[in-house]
Each structure stands twice: as C-alpha cells, then as structure tokens.
C-alpha cells in the first residue's frame, strides 16, 4: 500500500474541502507506482514487477507485484 506524504495528504484534503470536493488533487497513480517499485528495489526485490494497482481509499493505492521464482542452491 502506498500513500502520499502526510503533508501532501493534508494539502489534498484542504483543497478538496475548500472546493467542496470539486478539485481532484490526487497524486497520480503512476507516481505512487514508481515509489512502490523503488521500495522493491531498495529492499532487495528489484527484479520484481508490479502487475496491477488500484485506488484502495483516497489517497491510498495498493499495488500487487510478482517476483521470479528462485531456485535454492546447495
């Protein structure tokens, strides 16, 4: 699950409140997907690929990923 920073989330809420919900100030899904992919790389799973993602609840996105199977050596 990926979400914008707390400050960004608060700004999104303020903008939507000031415009009675008419302003769509969501962080683009592609930006959050890139953050999720970077997290995989930072945690040793750079070979994994994000296969799908969806809006879970504004502004939270959930992404699914698959990793190549590894064969144990030994």
């Amino acid at each position: 699950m990926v979400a914008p920073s707390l400050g960004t989330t608060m700004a999104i809420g303020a903008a939507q409140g000031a415009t009675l919900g008419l302003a769509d100030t969501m962080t683009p899904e592609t930006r959050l997907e890139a953050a999720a992919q970077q997290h995989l790389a930072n945690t040793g799973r750079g070979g994994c690929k994000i296969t799908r993602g969806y809006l879970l609840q504004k502004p939270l996105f959930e992404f699914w990923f698959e990793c190549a199977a590894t064969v144990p050596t030994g």
Side-chain angles (χ1 to χ4, degrees):
M1 188 169 22
V2 182
S5 69
L6 180 58
T8 300
T9 302
M10 290 173 57
I12 289 169
Q16 287 182 339
T19 62
L20 302 176
L22 297 176
D24 187 7
T25 56
M26 285 292 298
T27 302
E29 181 178 353
T30 53
R31 185 173 175 192
L32 293 173
E33 183 175 340
Q37 187 66 52
Q38 184 62 52
H39 173 73
L40 290 172
N42 292 346
T43 57
R45 297 175 283 177
C48 300
K49 293 188 70 130
I50 294 175
T51 58
R52 65 180 180 216
Y54 63 94
L55 180 63
L56 186 60
Q57 179 181 353
K58 268 189 173 181
L60 304 173
F61 277 87
E62 184 169 73
F63 295 100
W64 295 76
F65 62 93
E66 291 181 1
C67 301
T70 58
V71 178
T73 59

